[in-house]
Amino acid sequence: MIRYSVNFVPKAQKALLEAPKSDRARISIAIELLRENPIPPKALKLKGREGYRIRVGKFRIIYTFDGSALTILVLDIGPRREIYLR
């Protein structure tokens, strides 16, 4: 099984640490699952901007991945009403 490495931009790392504890655990699990499959069935390609997004409750995780380097870069994490305005 191929496993991707996950990197965070500073903004995404800060957003993860500031999320409520219960949501933080669910977000971390979703990011770990991305290591196995960078495009899960519910992931959507973003329009008008680079990357994909997955939904974790009221939060969204915006990320890109490089299949040749086997890396995932988490660009942003936040509530749905705010994430697309950033």
Side-chain angles (χ1 to χ4, degrees):
M1 178 64 71
I2 298 173
R3 290 185 52 91
Y4 287 71
S5 64
V6 176
N7 300 313
F8 291 82
V9 298
K11 177 171 68 169
Q13 184 70 39
K14 182 179 177 186
L16 179 61
L17 294 174
E18 290 177 350
K21 194 172 189 178
S22 60
D23 292 324
R24 190 178 329 139
R26 291 181 15 199
I27 292 168
S28 296
I29 290 169
I31 291 171
E32 281 300 312
L33 291 174
L34 286 176
R35 289 179 185 266
E36 302 291 329
N37 182 8
I39 308 178
K42 298 259 179 171
L44 294 177
K45 182 151 178 52
L46 296 175
K47 296 177 182 174
R49 135 181 197 187
E50 174 185 10
Y52 292 84
R53 75 112 171 120
I54 56 173
R55 187 178 134 218
V56 180
K58 64 181 180 178
F59 284 85
R60 303 298 184 264
I61 302 170
I62 308 293
Y63 68 97
T64 62
F65 74 97
D66 183 359
S68 62
L70 298 177
T71 58
I72 295 171
L73 180 63
V74 179
L75 301 172
D76 205 357
I77 300 169
R80 183 191 68 81
R81 68 180 180 271
E82 299 170 7
I83 193 76
Y84 301 113
L85 301 176
R86 299 180 191 177

